[in-house]
Amino acid sequence: SCLRIPQGQGSKSEPENPSVFATTAKSGIGMVALNDIFRVHGNQIATPDAISLSDQSFVLKAGGEYTAEWAVIPVDKPDLWAFVNAARRMTDVNFTMKTLSAFLAHGESTYVWSEDMLRNFVTRKSANVISKSLYGGTWKGRLPQGLAFHEVLKNPKSLAYYTDARDRINKLFPDGSVKFSVYYHCFIDVMDESLEKYKDCRRIDAAGNHMAYSLEYLKLYVPTLENDFGKEIGKGIDIRLDDLGVTAFYWDEYNQSRGAYTYATNMWDGCSADIDPGTYKISRLKGAVHLLSLPWLKYQIERITKRVPAYFNGAPFSRTLANLKIECFTETGSINNCHRMVLYTPVALGDHITEKSEEDAYKVMVNALNWGCLYAWYATSVIPTHKTLTEYMFPATPIELHEGYIICKERILTNRSGLFGWGDASDFEAHVYDRDGRETDEIKVAKIKREGKTFAEVRIPEGYSVAIVRDQTAPVAK
């Protein structure tokens, strides 16, 4: 999954990056699982002697058929990024990313902040989509996840919490340049009534217990096109689009939530089971949450994206959803989580654990570039005093990712020195940022012309970064 294993052996099960790669002194070879079931079930394994992809959960009905698909990708140098970029081209994921998101602080941003403060909060982050979280009221003292949100909105004060925030954003940005969204999650519900009402939709663990997210009342369910929970939680999408009038859509943990499987006896997906590794006997059947919900997820995502821009937490677990070309990011409690995004939309969400200031946020931006990733804002408590590197990140159509930089058709972002260009005579302007994330003119980026090609000669100290913005009148390199 693009994580290095210095000891030479290890394994992961990572649907967001279902790959394995090995090198010799002069070359490399990798494999990527492609079809939905293989990606969701798959294990990526390295030993001192071999790399492998395996599916240790697959079962086939008598008389059934199944085709597993994977790609073998050789590269002519021992370079992980050569493999990454070959895999990205093969899976056609170099599409344009347009969304730079930020989360909006709670009630004070709507009812206390001045217009200048709110405008500066958005523009200094260079965000074009703002997301509001579920803090407009509680249900029996609980955060109103799931169907409880629908009930909370029956209180006019709670409804106004979201519509007032929407109206304020629309007033400050009447040209529509900044969109407004409200958090959505499809697997969690906190209502006591749901325990019985949606009993056949519950997520069940191997011991037969109804699973919870973290706190015991945050119960997990599995939405499908056929079941009642899927129909009711899907109404939350219409509430946001129609009643709240969102102009963008943010969907958290859309692939699955807190683990991969349910052992509910009525939720076998037709292909998953626990299998004894010694006897190959089936221990028990189970259902992969992503596969069970996949038709429902695809239907909902398609109808959302026909109406508004949307963005999602996590790279798609399945080829079915990856083919929708949706914009996604990964959370970065650990910056190495960026490995999950290098085979899809390379965007890192800010670190909710360490980011306490705009300087902290800038360090995460710089570190994300070590994975070839761009950045989206997380911490609502970070109130910038100036614009920073995000001003020149989007739109971005990736051409290649590398350790320390990303080359896009529109721009190149780098945290290290070197010669950068698009292989043609494209002109550009360069913006250098110091260790505090402030643009500086103390370091210049020279333009070098060689054999009809133009390069940016970047020479920066550690902790600095550069945005090289391409002249959009130039021909596009392929």
Side-chain angles (χ1 to χ4, degrees):
S1 300
C2 296
L3 283 175
R4 299 181 187 277
I5 305 178
Q7 66 272 31
Q9 61 183 21
S11 66
K12 284 186 68 66
S13 180
E14 192 72 79
E16 292 170 288
N17 185 340
S19 70
V20 60
F21 179 68
T23 60
T24 67
K26 296 183 178 180
S27 63
I29 191 166
M31 295 187 291
V32 182
L34 298 176
N35 64 294
D36 293 346
I37 294 173
F38 202 174
R39 285 180 61 146
V40 170
H41 282 181
N43 291 278
Q44 301 87 50
I45 302 170
T47 70
D49 301 315
I51 57 173
S52 67
L53 297 175
S54 68
D55 182 340
Q56 299 172 15
S57 295
F58 180 76
V59 294
L60 184 66
K61 295 178 182 178
E65 293 184 358
Y66 170 67
T67 301
E69 300 175 61
W70 67 96
V72 178
I73 303 175
V75 292
D76 60 1
K77 51 188 172 182
D79 179 13
L80 171 66
W81 298 99
F83 164 72
V84 165
N85 289 309
R88 291 181 59 85
R89 290 189 293 269
M90 178 197 67
T91 52
D92 191 29
V93 297
N94 289 322
F95 56 89
T96 303
M97 303 176 292
K98 300 178 181 178
T99 298
L100 173 51
S101 63
F103 291 95
L104 196 61
H106 304 319
E108 63 269 21
S109 63
T110 303
Y111 300 114
V112 178
W113 290 3
S114 68
E115 287 191 354
D116 284 344
M117 186 169 182
L118 180 56
R119 184 185 295 108
N120 289 338
F121 178 86
V122 176
T123 57
R124 287 172 181 169
K125 289 189 173 184
S126 302
N128 56 25
V129 174
I130 293 294
S131 182
K132 197 75 170 170
S133 299
L134 303 182
Y135 290 95
T138 62
W139 187 87
K140 295 185 177 180
R142 302 170 182 176
L143 185 68
Q145 282 278 14
L147 305 181
F149 183 69
H150 309 177
E151 296 301 313
V152 166
L153 290 184
K154 294 176 181 178
N155 182 328
K157 185 177 180 180
S158 295
L159 178 65
Y161 177 86
Y162 301 99
T163 56
D164 288 352
R166 174 204 66 198
D167 292 345
R168 202 164 192 218
I169 291 296
N170 291 343
K171 178 184 176 182
L172 290 177
F173 302 95
D175 60 353
S177 58
V178 178
K179 309 294 185 184
F180 177 78
S181 65
V182 174
Y183 174 101
Y184 179 70
H185 196 294
C186 69
F187 296 106
I188 301 175
D189 184 68
V190 301
M191 295 184 70
D192 297 327
E193 297 93 320
S194 298
L195 298 174
E196 183 62 32
K197 188 173 183 179
Y198 304 107
K199 186 176 182 179
D200 63 340
C201 311
R202 295 177 303 161
R203 176 96 172 272
I204 302 298
D205 66 18
N209 302 309
H210 189 178
M211 297 173 67
Y213 185 86
S214 52
L215 300 174
E216 186 59 28
Y217 65 79
L218 294 168
K219 295 298 187 182
L220 293 170
Y221 296 84
V222 181
T224 70
L225 286 174
E226 295 78 21
N227 70 23
D228 289 338
F229 185 79
K231 294 171 185 175
E232 289 302 312
I233 200 70
K235 292 178 181 177
I237 295 171
D238 300 288
I239 288 172
R240 287 161 175 80
L241 292 172
D242 299 328
D243 300 346
L244 300 182
V246 301
T247 50
F249 202 95
Y250 170 54
W251 193 333
D252 190 23
E253 293 188 333
Y254 66 104
N255 283 298
Q256 64 185 35
S257 186
R258 282 295 192 271
Y261 295 98
T262 179
Y263 289 86
T265 56
N266 66 321
M267 286 192 182
W268 185 44
D269 57 17
C271 63
S272 303
D274 288 340
I275 303 169
D276 187 293
T279 64
Y280 298 104
K281 297 288 186 180
I282 294 174
S283 303
R284 62 192 135 198
L285 300 176
K286 59 186 179 181
V289 172
H290 186 80
L291 296 177
L292 289 165
S293 294
L294 185 53
W296 184 89
L297 294 170
K298 181 175 184 290
Y299 168 75
Q300 305 294 1
I301 291 171
E302 286 181 326
R303 73 186 189 93
I304 291 168
T305 54
K306 286 178 181 177
R307 294 184 58 177
V308 297
Y311 56 112
F312 303 81
N313 184 351
F317 279 19
S318 57
R319 181 169 58 184
T320 292
L321 296 190
N323 286 343
L324 299 181
K325 300 188 185 306
I326 54 180
E327 296 187 41
C328 309
F329 54 59
T330 190
E331 296 187 40
T332 56
S334 165
I335 198 65
N336 284 339
N337 287 349
C338 290
H339 80 277
R340 297 170 178 162
M341 303 309 297
V342 298
L343 295 188
Y344 201 62
T345 50
V347 181
L349 184 63
D351 183 356
H352 63 290
I353 298 174
T354 64
E355 288 186 20
K356 307 300 181 185
S357 67
E358 55 191 321
E359 290 79 16
D360 294 336
Y362 175 68
K363 290 177 183 177
V364 176
M365 296 177 204
V366 173
N367 288 335
L369 284 171
N370 291 329
W371 284 96
C373 284
L374 304 179
Y375 179 89
W377 293 89
Y378 196 162
T380 60
S381 60
V382 174
I383 302 176
T385 60
H386 56 85
K387 289 189 175 183
T388 188
L389 186 61
T390 56
E391 182 177 5
Y392 299 106
M393 282 192 179
F394 296 88
T397 310
I399 297 174
E400 288 192 350
L401 278 58
H402 292 273
E403 186 175 355
Y405 61 98
I406 178 172
I407 302 173
C408 302
K409 290 181 179 179
E410 304 86 352
R411 64 200 72 244
I412 298 170
L413 284 299
T414 180
N415 67 12
R416 56 198 63 195
S417 302
L419 288 178
F420 299 93
W422 292 270
D424 58 21
S426 293
D427 198 5
F428 61 85
E429 60 179 32
H431 304 268
V432 180
Y433 293 84
D434 64 19
R435 290 188 182 91
D436 294 324
R438 294 180 178 272
E439 188 168 359
T440 176
D441 58 5
E442 295 181 358
I443 294 179
K444 306 296 182 182
V445 174
K447 292 181 181 179
I448 307 295
K449 294 186 179 293
R450 294 180 181 174
E451 299 178 351
K453 299 178 182 179
T454 304
F455 298 91
E457 184 180 38
V458 175
R459 296 287 179 262
I460 52 174
E462 184 177 355
Y464 280 56
S465 65
V466 180
I468 305 163
V469 182
R470 189 181 193 183
D471 179 356
Q472 294 301 302
T473 63
V476 175
K478 294 183 178 180

